[in-house]
Amino acid sequence: QVQLVESGGGSVQSGGSLRLSCVASGDTASLASMGWFRQAPGKEREGVALISRDGRTKYADSVMGRFSISRDNDKGTLYLQMNSLKPEDTAMYYCAADRALLLPLKDGFFAYWGTGTQVTVSP
């Protein structure tokens, strides 16, 4: 039993920053992988970044160098620091987690999902 709740979304201008948080509750110690995905209207859900319990990370090419994923295992919280935001980053952002390690950055591999937080970047 795992529940994920995202927060931190909002509206910003191009070039601005946001910090997303995802609080996990339940059997959080078993979550070997946690990640962020996003989906814009008319587009498929895409992977943004993921992090394993031991700190290994993966990023989508489109956010490399601008976004940074981190997690606090003791607090059961996942973060996504988003800098240099672009209008193309506008989407609903979802937190995801799974018990498996070294997962691909694909939504089909994650068992647990939050309900999302909206990020809107104006030009």
Side-chain angles (χ1 to χ4, degrees):
Q1 183 175 324
V2 174
Q3 292 181 319
L4 305 174
V5 180
E6 305 97 331
S7 63
S11 298
V12 298
Q13 285 186 280
S14 181
S17 298
L18 285 172
R19 183 175 175 85
L20 305 184
S21 298
C22 171
V23 178
S25 60
D27 189 14
T28 61
S30 67
L31 301 178
S33 299
M34 299 187 74
W36 292 95
F37 294 78
R38 66 186 183 186
Q39 186 169 27
K43 297 184 178 180
E44 296 182 346
R45 182 177 291 180
E46 63 176 346
V48 176
L50 69 79
I51 185 168
S52 63
R53 176 166 279 274
D54 60 10
R56 287 173 287 181
T57 60
K58 294 181 182 178
Y59 293 94
D61 290 342
S62 60
V63 306
M64 185 73 70
R66 299 188 298 121
F67 291 9
S68 180
I69 189 170
S70 61
R71 63 189 288 176
D72 186 327
N73 294 329
D74 293 334
K75 295 180 179 179
T77 304
L78 177 72
Y79 303 96
L80 184 67
Q81 179 66 48
M82 304 185 294
N83 300 322
S84 301
L85 283 163
K86 305 175 181 179
E88 305 93 273
D89 297 316
T90 296
M92 183 71 76
Y93 283 71
Y94 298 91
C95 174
D98 201 88
R99 295 175 182 269
L101 188 65
L102 300 177
L103 292 178
L105 194 57
K106 302 287 187 180
D107 57 357
F109 288 86
F110 289 79
Y112 308 105
W113 291 84
T115 56
T117 184
Q118 179 67 39
V119 172
T120 302
V121 185
S122 59

